Amino acid sequence: MTDTDVLNLSLSAVADGIRRKKFSSVEVTRACLERAARVQPALNCFIAIEGDAALKAARKADQARKRGAGLGLLHGVPLAHKDMFYRAGKISTGGSKILRDYRPGVTATVVERLAAAGAIWLGNLNMAEFAANPTGHNDHWGHCRNPWNPAHITGGSSSGSGSAVGARVCYGALGSDTGGSVRLPAAACGVVGLKPTYGLVSRYGILPRSWSQDTVGPLTRTVRDCARMTRVIAGADARDPTCVQEPAVDYEAALAGRIKGLRIGVPVNHYYDGATDDVRKRMAESLAVFKSLGARIIEMKVPDPQEIFLLSATVSQSEAATMHGPWIRTRPRDYSLYVRSRMEAGFHIPVTTYLQAINLRAHLLAEFMRAVYAKVDLLHTPVMVMPPPTIAETEPKGSGDVAGIVSRITRNTRPTNYLGLPALSVPAGFSKDGLPIAFQLMGRPFSEALIFRAAHLYQQETDWHIRMPSL
Amino acid sequence: MRRIPGDGHSVTPQLIRDHGRQLARLDVAGHRAGELAAEVDRLNNAVLDGATRLDFNDEPARFTETLLALRETKSR
């Protein structure tokens, strides 16, 4: 098997291959590191590559396998992560200038769980500064670039996670999603990305963006891989009081089954506004696949996502202004225009308004559930209404463009974060210019197993997820 | 206190500059104050309009409780 063959394997396949001694973790890790070195100049998907440490960990993994130790679900599998998941004593920049040398004192729960499952840490991936823009621009560490066309954005804020997984540099990556930051790079880079239900995955030890809406989710090439990583990282964590006190589900086992009779809702309002012909065509094709699998497609009007969008922005701006206030007052020039613009309003929103926006969440969630999930099991929408634009097109030229750029890109993703609901971005084909297009499946609280099953069956009928970019 | 219906222009650039200086220890440039006034106005009014749904007994923890309750309803 050549290095290219190995790199093209899914996470699950490479884990099984290591377990069955078809190849070693050292061989796989070395192939990933060579690929990383080759694509980094074009994509800038890494902030730091930890080659020596990764190979050392891979050798340990191979020794453990040799002596017959119990092997975890990710034993010997190279992963890389958005540079905001803390490891005690190791630099975690958050994609920022301010935290360039920051060494947190704690390790994130999700990092501990991946390590316990045997995963190898290849390096720290590029990201939007402080997880605060949806494009992948980064004035401090350089813009991250799309593996399908480096002139185009990766989506953000988990830009390096989308780019690296799409480019076959690693088999999976963690990202965070506060307004679409997992789903947007997954969609733009042609990979799968999960925004889990709020509280399913621990936020302990991650750089915050908006405490009330932050979620942690994996980006992978296949739905099965995403289910496996989610099984590893999900579940109760006493160190995160917002985490639900229940064990993780075996999401991979839940892939087995059918979706005959499943009701899939398609919104007739908001979600297709401004959609390009390419996007409309791919959405229709994907719905036809679900129909062929026995699902019922039901067109419906959903509660006004624009109201939810504004409430979500009120919460995220207020919380970001609260946590960044001391630095904004003392080091304003160390922030990019993108980031400053996305929190400044938060300094001027009355605290009573913020708390009302927080208290409205339960009401709007209940209304949304009655209006939507009493009638359908899942919602299907485009992740973005256009293929990923170019980096130049989304560069803010003045402070006024930022809000417009952000709202065009995040209009279909942000409402889900305010409601706390799960959503999975799934590759659905390409534009006429060869850029990835994706749909998202959204569901009831903690319905990840059903979402994974539907998306997995879709991937059994299509081959978008196994196509690779030519780099 | 009497409720004043929002007219969509209640936040002015001057208010943003004064608020920034007096309550947030921030200097806001004139051009930016205009943009922020429009943004704060939009966000604030969206919340105030929606707040007619709120009940005296609401509190932030109800959100997680609702997420769990709606999941449990389905599983039954």
Side-chain angles (χ1 to χ4, degrees), chain A residues 197-198 244 246 307 310-311 313-314 317 328-329 341 344-345 347-350 353 356-367 369 377 399-400 418-421 444-446, chain B residues 15-17 19-20 23-26 28 31-32 35-36 39-40 42-44 46-55 58-64 66-68 70-72 74:
Chain A
T197 307
Y198 185 79
V244 296
E246 291 185 26
E307 179 190 25
L310 293 172
L311 298 182
T314 301
Q317 293 237 18
I328 283 283
R329 291 182 185 97
S341 301
E344 279 178 314
F347 289 104
H348 306 283
I349 292 168
T353 299
Q356 284 178 326
I358 289 285
N359 280 347
L360 277 167
R361 293 180 86 188
H363 290 273
L364 269 74
L365 172 61
E367 285 174 19
M369 294 294 292
D377 302 299
S399 56
Y418 182 78
L419 298 174
L421 299 171
R444 300 183 180 96
F446 305 100
Chain B
L15 176 63
I16 294 292
R17 280 199 295 274
H19 181 269
L23 289 171
R25 299 184 184 174
L26 289 170
V28 184
H31 169 66
R32 184 63 182 141
E35 293 170 351
L36 283 174
E39 187 171 5
V40 170
R42 190 167 60 249
L43 297 177
N44 198 50
V47 177
L48 294 180
D49 290 346
T52 54
R53 300 176 177 93
L54 291 174
D55 180 83
D58 282 331
E59 60 166 287
R62 270 199 60 196
F63 175 63
T64 301
T66 306
L67 275 175
L68 288 166
L70 292 171
R71 184 270 308 265
E72 286 164 2
K74 174 61 186 169

Side-chain angles (χ1 to χ4, degrees), chain A residues 280-300:
Chain A
R280 288 178 187 277
K281 183 167 185 285
R282 294 308 183 194
M283 293 305 107
E285 289 170 354
S286 65
L287 287 167
V289 172
F290 283 113
K291 201 169 176 185
S292 73
L293 290 166
R296 287 168 52 203
I297 310 301
I298 300 169
E299 290 195 343
M300 64 190 312

Side-chain angles (χ1 to χ4, degrees), chain A residues 248-386:
Chain A
V249 173
D250 183 350
Y251 296 108
E252 215 174 336
L255 297 179
R258 302 162 66 192
I259 57 168
K260 189 171 171 56
L262 188 80
R263 299 166 301 169
I264 297 181
V266 177
V268 294
N269 58 317
H270 181 85
Y271 285 92
Y272 281 83
D273 294 351
T276 64
D277 291 343
D278 283 348
V279 169
R280 288 178 187 277
K281 183 167 185 285
R282 294 308 183 194
M283 293 305 107
E285 289 170 354
S286 65
L287 287 167
V289 172
F290 283 113
K291 201 169 176 185
S292 73
L293 290 166
R296 287 168 52 203
I297 310 301
I298 300 169
E299 290 195 343
M300 64 190 312
K301 188 169 183 202
V302 299
D304 182 14
Q306 188 56 30
E307 179 190 25
I308 301 172
F309 188 99
L310 293 172
L311 298 182
S312 174
T314 301
V315 171
S316 63
Q317 293 237 18
S318 301
E319 294 184 353
T322 303
M323 63 184 82
H324 287 277
W327 286 330
I328 283 283
R329 291 182 185 97
T330 56
R331 308 176 60 176
R333 292 180 193 285
D334 289 341
Y335 285 90
S336 69
L337 174 62
Y338 247 120
V339 177
R340 280 204 320 274
S341 301
R342 298 208 63 206
M343 68 173 84
E344 279 178 314
F347 289 104
H348 306 283
I349 292 168
V351 69
T352 48
T353 299
Y354 163 71
L355 286 169
Q356 284 178 326
I358 289 285
N359 280 347
L360 277 167
R361 293 180 86 188
H363 290 273
L364 269 74
L365 172 61
E367 285 174 19
F368 200 86
M369 294 294 292
R370 280 194 298 274
V372 176
Y373 292 114
K375 298 170 186 160
V376 298
D377 302 299
L378 299 177
L379 264 187
H380 173 292
T381 79
V383 177
M384 290 197 289
V385 293
M386 70 291 205

Side-chain angles (χ1 to χ4, degrees), chain A residues 7 26-40 46 48-56 58 78 120-123 168-170:
Chain A
L7 291 169
V26 167
E27 288 170 321
V28 174
T29 302
R30 191 168 283 133
C32 288
L33 289 170
E34 286 171 5
R35 176 80 169 165
R38 192 147 56 82
V39 305
Q40 175 66 6
F46 280 92
I49 299 174
E50 299 185 359
D52 291 344
L55 284 169
K56 189 176 170 189
I120 306 293
W121 183 292
L122 274 185
R168 274 53 177 172
V169 170
C170 57

